Amino acid sequence: MVNLSQFPLLKQITLPEDLRRLDKSQLVDVANELREFLIQSISRCGGHFAAGLGTVELTVALHYLFNTPEDKLIWDVGHQAYPHKVLTGRRDQLVTIRQSYGLHPFPARSESEYDAFGVGHSSTSISAALGMAIAAKEKGLDRHHVAIIGDGAITAGMAFEALNHASSVKPDLLVILNDNDMSISENVGGLNNYFAKIFSGSVYSNIREGGKKVLDTLPGNLKEFARRAEEHMKGMWVPGTLFEELGFNYIGPVDGHDLPTLLTTLENMKNLKGPQFLHIGTRKGKGYQPAENDPIGYHGVPIFDPKETSLPVTKKATTYSNVFGQWLCDMAPEHPELMAITPAMREGSGMVQFSKDFPEQYFDVAIAEQHAVTLAAGMACDGLKPVVAIYSSFLQRAYDQLIHDVALQNLDVLFAIDRAGLVGGDGATHHGAFDLSYLRCIPNLVIMAPSDENECRQMLYSGFMHKGPALVRYPRGAGPGLETQKKMSLIPTGCSRTIREGKHIALLSFGSTLTIAKKAAEQLNATLIDMRFIKPLDTEVLDTVSDKHQLIITVEENAVLGGAGSAVNEYLLNQGKKISVRNIGLPDRFITHGAPEDLLRDAGLTVEKILEVAASCSL
């Protein structure tokens, strides 16, 4: 735990009401202490880092001026909400964040009344805040609603749908655009360029630099008055035309690290009626130079020494994301029709090298999963071969496009689905717990799940060569450590592989659970099948094992309801097979965050669970 004696003001703040008892002149010192507290805490436990450093002043100002939790603060995504957690009763628990039984990684209604809306995926804040504002009006409640959204998240269509709707509802709603020119990766697209032009344009720069020269010649009091007036004049020189046209009163851009100006601006806007839009400029990683220099690298950090100028380097095992990235680089020279698409997850999906080596075949569409899928569909219509690299939980956001734009038209698109299964510290919003259940009911899809690194490489190749939509789903992190074969070979569609022959019991493993299934099979002297394909199933092997065994146990790192095991059940039932079947998978509940081994144990995806299920069946 961090020694609070070095933070005399922060030590006094347990809840926002304590902050509001302080004099306004003390808030800059509070912000400085809060930033240093974040550095010391997160360096001890790891977690999201640079984004929170950029919102320190904003968080202090919001909780000082607004009567939280009655007034509602709705954070978008939540990477930037660590300072909010510190000021709302969770200061001493911050070192447990993302850990088993520790603080949630993002705002969560179940954790605190100050977390007005649970988040994890981007671009939801304006819609949620608008809904709360409508509810308050219906109930006759006099309260404020503030949505804080980043310039990466506001590029998503959902954010603009909410802005457009708000213009007709005309609620008392404040939207704060936290513009730091960053998402997790660098932002891309026209809207980001618009914001960049505001800050870098010659008119703005000339006014700013000319203003500095004039201000330097003025007496102290007059200089301060003119400096503050300059902040309020910016909106005249750099109008937020886009947001004004959507019905919002636009103010900004304002320096998000100038706390006195931020307080004055927010205090003025707090009393305005109708939709308000405040545009602030911040710096991701503010106040910690290594994070300012490398905001991508310091977005999420392991335990580190804050005195060092770089994060610790450890030799890491090859991850499935690495396998995918290398496969892209190997395929692209021979297949100019290959087009790789990511919705702002270049680093996470292992595409950094590919983006540098093959920029003409690489497309980062920003946080816009729906667009990513339909963009791929359009490419496929004209003979290109798009590969959509997307997290399992993010693909949920483009379900309609997957069905109507790709599958219905039977288009030639490969989906590389990362983070399938349990992901650890990011928790319930990011677990890839449902993809097999929501995918296997869609016609025309071929769905594969590799059990090791080489299987992943060969499945990606097989999916790319397949004519029609194909999906390869693989987990976060490293596999069992098998070396990948450079030569790529086609895996026959719907073909499983038998790992060992046994008696009485057959274990059918789908994807990453093969490691635990193998250990259980050896103890049970059971037959073990690596099923490989969820759709189409290897029905020949199902016929064989059901005729030769007394019990089938399916194992998968997916929701047991409607998953791969359910597909086996359906087939055997329809064939009239008289055999006992047990399904092991993720239980029918949302699984929290924590260490992967703890989550797997709690979910029952262990060798012991397989043995227990086998023992409970009379053979």
Side-chain angles (χ1 to χ4, degrees):
M1 185 178 293
V2 177
N3 182 5
L4 282 177
S5 64
Q6 56 190 308
F7 304 107
L9 290 174
L10 194 60
K11 185 179 179 180
Q12 302 175 40
I13 302 170
T14 301
L15 294 171
E17 60 193 53
D18 301 318
L19 174 69
R20 294 191 279 268
R21 292 191 187 100
L22 298 178
D23 188 82
K24 191 179 292 186
S25 63
Q26 297 176 285
L27 296 185
V28 170
D29 290 333
V30 170
N32 291 336
E33 289 187 15
L34 177 54
R35 180 169 281 112
E36 181 59 29
F37 179 84
L38 288 170
I39 294 170
Q40 291 195 30
S41 297
I42 305 306
S43 66
R44 285 170 162 83
C45 65
H48 299 116
F49 186 62
L53 294 180
T55 59
V56 166
E57 287 81 9
L58 175 63
T59 307
V60 170
L62 288 173
H63 279 296
Y64 188 78
L65 293 173
F66 289 91
N67 186 32
T68 55
E70 283 75 19
D71 290 338
K72 304 300 180 184
L73 304 184
I74 299 92
W75 298 91
D76 210 282
V77 184
H79 297 131
Q80 74 276 39
Y82 284 26
H84 162 79
K85 287 180 181 272
V86 172
L87 295 179
T88 54
R90 291 163 281 184
R91 178 193 62 210
D92 298 339
Q93 298 169 275
L94 190 65
V95 290
T96 72
I97 200 162
R98 293 168 50 89
Q99 298 173 22
S100 299
Y101 319 113
L103 287 183
H104 284 264
F106 307 109
R109 283 166 54 84
S110 60
E111 185 176 274
S112 171
E113 63 178 334
Y114 291 90
D115 292 355
F117 194 71
V119 294
H121 291 184
S122 83
S123 315
T124 62
S125 59
I126 304 175
S127 296
L130 177 57
M132 293 176 190
I134 292 172
K137 183 178 180 180
E138 289 295 317
K139 293 183 175 183
L141 300 175
D142 182 18
R143 70 185 187 198
H144 296 88
H145 307 85
V146 184
I148 305 100
I149 188 168
D151 51 331
I154 205 168
T155 60
M158 184 176 178
F160 279 90
E161 292 169 13
L163 289 170
N164 181 62
H165 184 211
S167 68
S168 62
V169 176
K170 295 182 172 55
D172 291 337
L173 170 66
L174 171 60
V175 175
I176 298 177
L177 173 60
N178 175 28
D179 185 358
N180 59 23
D181 201 31
M182 290 291 297
S183 177
I184 294 175
S185 304
E186 297 95 340
N187 283 331
V188 296
L191 187 61
N192 178 66
N193 292 339
Y194 168 74
F195 294 142
K197 288 175 184 175
I198 287 177
F199 285 113
S200 62
S202 59
V203 174
Y204 177 83
S205 298
N206 290 339
I207 293 170
R208 184 179 178 85
E209 294 307 313
K212 285 181 180 178
K213 292 177 182 178
V214 173
L215 291 176
D216 286 341
T217 66
L218 296 177
N221 291 340
L222 190 57
K223 178 179 178 180
E224 177 60 18
F225 173 81
R227 187 191 68 78
R228 291 181 179 274
E230 178 198 30
E231 292 293 335
H232 294 285
M233 288 293 289
K234 285 177 184 176
M236 297 176 61
W237 292 101
V238 193
T241 307
L242 174 65
F243 304 105
E244 294 278 0
E245 290 297 322
L246 285 169
F248 281 76
N249 175 41
Y250 173 92
I251 303 294
V254 172
D255 183 350
H257 299 302
D258 182 346
L259 187 52
T261 298
L262 197 57
L263 285 163
T264 300
T265 305
L266 282 169
E267 197 162 21
N268 290 337
M269 297 187 76
K270 180 180 176 182
N271 298 317
L272 299 177
K273 294 296 183 180
Q276 307 295 320
F277 194 101
L278 173 61
H279 182 180
I280 69 170
T282 62
R283 186 171 181 83
K284 198 170 182 180
K286 173 69 175 177
Y288 183 66
Q289 198 60 49
E292 289 191 32
N293 296 340
D294 183 14
I296 296 176
Y298 280 84
H299 170 75
V301 296
I303 295 173
F304 69 98
D305 183 352
K307 296 185 181 65
E308 297 292 332
T309 57
S310 61
L311 294 171
V313 177
T314 57
K315 183 175 176 55
K316 296 181 179 180
T318 300
T319 67
Y320 283 100
S321 301
N322 298 150
V323 171
F324 169 68
Q326 185 59 55
W327 174 80
L328 279 179
C329 291
D330 292 343
M331 289 288 289
E334 302 298 323
H335 295 275
E337 74 278 14
L338 184 155
M339 300 290 149
I341 301 169
T342 176
M345 286 290 115
R346 180 186 63 179
E347 284 76 21
S349 293
M351 302 173 74
V352 173
Q353 194 60 48
F354 180 85
S355 69
K356 295 176 180 178
D357 294 348
F358 304 95
E360 299 302 315
Q361 293 171 262
Y362 170 75
F363 297 87
D364 184 338
V365 302
I367 303 175
E369 294 88 357
Q370 294 172 311
H371 168 58
V373 174
T374 304
L375 174 70
M379 289 179 175
C381 283
D382 277 350
L384 297 179
K385 180 68 181 193
V387 179
V388 180
I390 191 166
Y391 290 7
S392 171
S393 65
F394 295 167
L395 183 57
Q396 296 164 185
R397 312 187 90 191
Y399 193 53
D400 181 71
Q401 288 70 26
L402 174 63
I403 295 172
H404 286 266
D405 299 339
V406 176
L408 183 62
Q409 302 183 87
N410 202 28
L411 292 174
D412 206 10
V413 180
L414 172 63
F415 291 84
I417 305 176
D418 204 336
R419 270 52 170 190
L422 302 178
V423 298
D426 281 342
T429 57
H430 284 61
H431 292 320
F434 311 111
D435 54 80
L436 295 185
S437 301
Y438 70 70
L439 290 173
R440 72 176 190 86
C441 60
I442 304 173
N444 292 335
L445 300 187
V446 169
I447 308 170
M448 295 170 271
S451 57
D452 60 54
E453 298 88 340
N454 186 56
E455 283 282 291
C456 184
R457 179 176 172 87
Q458 306 310 323
M459 285 181 180
L460 289 166
Y461 176 72
S462 301
F464 184 84
M465 301 306 292
H466 173 76
K467 298 303 179 184
L471 305 96
V472 180
R473 60 102 70 175
Y474 46 89
R476 180 180 187 177
L482 271 70
E483 184 176 350
T484 58
Q485 299 172 9
K486 187 165 183 61
K487 181 181 178 181
M488 289 177 274
S489 304
L490 289 174
I491 299 174
T493 302
C495 180
S496 66
R497 55 177 186 151
T498 300
I499 305 301
R500 77 185 304 274
E501 296 279 2
K503 296 180 179 180
H504 307 304
I505 299 173
L507 299 184
L508 309 184
S509 176
F510 294 87
S512 59
T513 55
L514 185 65
T515 300
I516 62 169
K518 188 179 295 185
K519 293 177 181 177
E522 290 169 354
Q523 295 188 46
L524 294 168
N525 189 26
T527 294
L528 175 60
I529 310 293
D530 178 8
M531 290 299 290
R532 285 175 160 174
F533 288 82
I534 293 85
K535 188 173 186 177
L537 287 170
D538 187 340
T539 55
E540 288 189 16
V541 81
L542 291 181
D543 289 338
T544 299
V545 298
S546 61
D547 291 340
K548 293 184 176 181
H549 299 80
Q550 298 170 270
L551 172 66
I552 292 176
I553 300 176
T554 67
V555 192
E556 62 189 297
E557 197 170 333
N558 183 83
V560 73
L561 297 182
S566 291
V568 172
N569 299 347
E570 292 160 12
Y571 175 77
L572 295 175
L573 182 63
N574 288 332
Q575 297 301 309
K577 299 289 186 180
K578 307 294 185 183
I579 183 171
S580 295
V581 183
R582 298 291 185 272
N583 304 132
I584 295 176
L586 300 180
D588 185 25
R589 58 179 170 83
F590 288 105
I591 296 172
T592 188
H593 58 283
E597 58 273 18
D598 292 337
L599 299 183
L600 289 170
R601 184 184 62 252
D602 292 346
L605 283 174
T606 61
V607 174
E608 292 74 22
K609 180 65 174 181
I610 297 174
L611 298 178
E612 177 187 324
V613 169
S616 68
C617 298
S618 300
L619 300 182

